[in-house]
């Protein structure tokens, strides 16, 4: 059992060709084996046909000899066929003998074991069976095959006109059949070997064709638990059978797993940003109140405390610092609950005007494509802020003499704004933290622009995504904003 | 089987055209000299007979025709009917036909005009020491008109007080001494009586056969199977034929032929050498 088990544990790479080869060899052996009985029957049939015709000729020649009681002549007649012997003549009888009417040996070619006048039936059990068959036989030649005997007996009556004078018995050893059977089986064996020479390599190739894709698939399935493996190139096995379907199913599953992983990462990212936003808002609220108190106190002190010039200067420093903190905190606190008119095509013209000085400074061309025909029901102040932030960032990223594309469109219930620049693409790590506060990609500003954009878009229920690639030396960074348009 | 053997027949016969051949009639197409032989010889038999016939024809300046039959009896009948001029026959037929034929010449075997009967058995039957040990056995005879192959063993049994007809369990004829040796060699017969000339010649040419037989006993000597002439053969023919045989040993071609026959030559012979056979025949009420 153990060797069998270890066979089944083998890789398909070996198991399929081995199993196929085994089946082919087994088939060849069975087919060759099936030749045995057929060859035996054919050869036996040949032997008996020859023996019968020889027996009938000899019996005719023996009739006068028996009639005239010419023992020597009878001996010469039955002895003659034994001298036709050639090594290839497997049809050679082993012994010939003539029995008289009482089934005593009249003459035989083996006088030592079958002497004249011997009672044939009593010489051995086998001869007894043969003699019994001879006693019952008619005028036709009869083949007698005693059970478990190594010999075949062909008995032909010797008849003179009507009188039965005796019986000619030709004894053939079955061993004589073997060389011819072996020859014919050997022939079948060669044909089988030839077939094997063709089929085994074919089978090996086919096994390899089947096993290799299976192996690849297995390797990848095993990887699945700790990482997402590559896709399987379908060209390794481009058929519609179960294996081919397994391949496609694997690729589909892999695709779904990838998408799921992407979504999970997006969720984690946005949850983090939400948490940061909440923290920032909380901190800002807590800081705002004392700040306002401190600024009011400084104002009171300056107005009623009559500070001297030095103190006044210190107060100014304090006031400037606190104001800066206020501004920063205010910037972190993105407040979207402002009353604002709807975003109109005129707002786009304003944005163009506002960004123009910066574009001119860096000689960046901004190509616009706007498909906004009527006002969209979105707070114009906030949308303008997002647009300006993103376009200024893009101009910055594009660098001197660079190019920026801006697209504004409304498709169904979605407001779309897209900015593309051809500047250096963003690294994976940069993209990962892009919308967090104080992330400074462009090395200018406080790093709150994209944070603000994200907060605004997020609070408006929209989505902001970045896509930065470098393909064949051409970089392309795209910021896309989608905002749902509330039905009026 | 005889067709596979080298030559030899114990007894053979010849004949000459009677009343023919004077020189005055030389221009008349002469009848061939008819010489009969009993069977046996070999593959080589036809070659040997053709050579001997050519030799005889050249010596006699007359064509010679050999006549062969399967048994002694048939040659004896042809001789009696004057279908043969000369014949080489066994001593027993010679005595039997003494009224029709006369002695022409006798071959020399081992330089003497005598031969014997050998009692042979299969080599493995080592316990047999005499003919009496073959009681109830299968015995092979050569020919009913053979001395050594039939008359002699029967005479011996009779001398020992046995009835030759019932002494053996079964007997059969092989119609040639070579076949007889073969029958004993293969074990078909448990014993047989054979011409010593045939056995010795066969022992020279086919020792593989004789080795499978064993000589148990030898008979007294008999006159060798002679060449005989029918009484009707004219004196000239008789003499030229006799002269031809007697001088065979004197020329090279004749010697070669004699050697192939395993003989040394021919002598005129003496009819008294055959008296023993006549006595044996009388014992069986023949003659």
């Amino acid at each position: 059992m153990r060797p069998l088990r270890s066979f089944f544990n083998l890789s398909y790479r070996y198991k399929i060709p081995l199993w196929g080869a085994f089946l082919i060899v087994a088939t060849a052996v069975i087919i060759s084996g099936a030749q045995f009985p057929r060859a035996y029957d054919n050869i036996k049939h040949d032997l008996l046909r020859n023996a019968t015709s020889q027996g009938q000729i000899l019996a005719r020649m023996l009739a006068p000899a028996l009639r005239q009681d010419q023992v020597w002549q009878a001996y010469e007649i039955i002895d003659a066929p034994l001298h036709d012997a050639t090594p290839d003549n497997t049809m050679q009888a082993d012994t010939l003998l003539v029995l008289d009417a009482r089934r005593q040996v009249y003459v035989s070619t083996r006088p030592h074991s079958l002497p004249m006048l011997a009672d044939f039936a009593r010489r051995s059990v086998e001869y007894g069976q043969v003699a019994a068959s001879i006693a019952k036989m008619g005028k036709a030649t009869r083949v007698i095959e005693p059970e478990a005997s190594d010999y075949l007996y062909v008995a032909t009556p010797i008849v003179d006109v009507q009188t039965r004078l005796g019986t000619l018995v030709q004894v053939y050893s079955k061993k004589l059949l073997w060389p011819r059977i072996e020859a014919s089986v050997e022939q079948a064996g060669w044909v089988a070997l030839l077939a094997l020479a063709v089929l085994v390599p074919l089978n090996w190739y086919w096994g390899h064709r089947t096993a290799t894709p299976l192996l690849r698939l297995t390797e990848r399935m095993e990887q699945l638990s700790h990482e997402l493996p590559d896709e399987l190139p379908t060209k390794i096995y481009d058929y519609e059978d179960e294996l081919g379907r397994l391949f496609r199913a694997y690729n589909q599953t892999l695709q779904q797993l990838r998408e799921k992983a992407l979504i999970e990462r997006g969720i984690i990212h946005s949850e983090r940003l939400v948490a940061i936003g909440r923290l920032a808002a909380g901190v800002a609220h807590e800081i705002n109140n004392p700040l306002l108190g401190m600024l009011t106190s400084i104002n009171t002190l300056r107005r009623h405390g009559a500070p001297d010039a030095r103190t006044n200067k210190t107060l100014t420093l304090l006031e400037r610092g606190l104001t800066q903190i206020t501004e920063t905190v205010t910037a972190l606190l993105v407040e979207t609950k402002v009353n604002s008119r709807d975003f109109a095509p005129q707002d786009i013209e304003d944005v163009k005007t506002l960004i123009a000085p910066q574009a001119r400074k860096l000689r960046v061309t901004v190509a616009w494509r706007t498909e906004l025909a009527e006002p969209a029901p979105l707070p114009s102040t906030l949308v303008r802020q997002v647009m300006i932030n993103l376009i200024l960032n893009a101009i910055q990223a594009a660098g001197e003499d660079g190019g920026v594309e801006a697209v504004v469109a409304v498709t169904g219930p979605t407001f779309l704004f897209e900015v593309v620049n051809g500047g250096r693409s963003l690294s994976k790590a940069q993209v990962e933290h892009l919308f967090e506060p104080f992330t400074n990609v462009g090395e200018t500003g406080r790093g709150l622009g994209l944070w603000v954009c994200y907060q605004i878009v997020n609070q408006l229920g929209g989505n902001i995504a970045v896509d930065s690639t470098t393909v064949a030396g051409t970089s392309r960074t795209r910021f896309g904003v989608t905002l749902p348009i509330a039905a009026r | 089987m005889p067709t596979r053997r080298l030559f030899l027949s114990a007894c053979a016969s010849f004949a000459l055209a009677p009343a023919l051949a004077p020189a005055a009639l030389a221009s008349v197409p002469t009848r061939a000299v008819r010489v009969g032989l009993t069977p046996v010889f070999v593959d080589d038999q036809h070659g040997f007979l053709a050579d001997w016939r050519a030799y005889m024809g050249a010596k006699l300046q007359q064509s010679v025709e050999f006549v062969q039959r399967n048994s002694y009896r048939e040659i004896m009948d042809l001789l009696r009917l004057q279908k043969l001029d000369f014949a080489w026959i066994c001593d027993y037929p010679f005595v039997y036909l003494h009224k029709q034929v006369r002695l022409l010449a006798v071959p020399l075997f081992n330089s003497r005009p005598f031969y014997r009967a050998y009692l042979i058995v299969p080599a493995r039957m080592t316990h047999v020491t005499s003919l009496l040990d073959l009681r109830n056995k299968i015995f092979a005879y050569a020919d009913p008109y053979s001395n050594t192959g039939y008359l002699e063993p029967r005479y011996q049994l009779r001398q020992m007080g046995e009835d030759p007809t019932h002494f053996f369990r079964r007997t059969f004829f092989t119609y040639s001494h070579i076949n007889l040796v073969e029958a004993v060699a293969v074990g078909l017969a448990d014993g047989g009586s054979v011409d010593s000339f045939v056995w010795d010649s066969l022992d020279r040419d086919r020792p593989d056969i004789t080795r499978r037989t064993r000589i148990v006993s030898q008979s007294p000597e008999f006159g060798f199977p002679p060449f005989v002439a029918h009484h009707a053969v004219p004196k000239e023919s008789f003499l030229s034929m006799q002269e031809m045989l007697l001088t065979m040993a004197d020329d090279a071609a004749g010697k070669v032929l004699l050697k192939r026959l395993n003989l040394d030559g021919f002598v005129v012979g003496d009819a008294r050498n055959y008296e023993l056979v006549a006595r044996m025949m009388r014992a069986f009420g023949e003659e």
Side-chain angles (χ1 to χ4, degrees), chain A residues 14-62:
Chain A
Y14 309 111
K15 200 154 57 180
I16 294 176
L18 279 178
W19 179 243
F22 168 75
L23 287 182
I24 292 168
V25 170
T27 310
V29 167
I30 289 165
I31 290 173
S32 304
Q35 293 289 311
F36 264 98
R38 222 168 64 90
Y40 180 85
D41 286 347
N42 284 347
I43 291 160
K44 191 171 139 190
H45 184 256
D46 278 3
L47 172 84
L48 294 177
R49 202 183 49 216
N50 285 358
T52 305
S53 83
Q54 187 192 62
Q56 283 163 356
I57 292 167
L58 292 180
R60 270 201 295 279
M61 291 164 71
L62 283 165

Side-chain angles (χ1 to χ4, degrees), chain B residues 37 70 74 91 98 134 158 167 186 209 225 250 261 284:
Chain B
L37 306 166
N70 286 324
E74 289 168 83
D91 47 347
H98 69 276
L134 293 174
R158 195 184 174 90
F167 182 74
V186 301
I209 296 172
D250 297 339
L261 278 167
F284 282 99

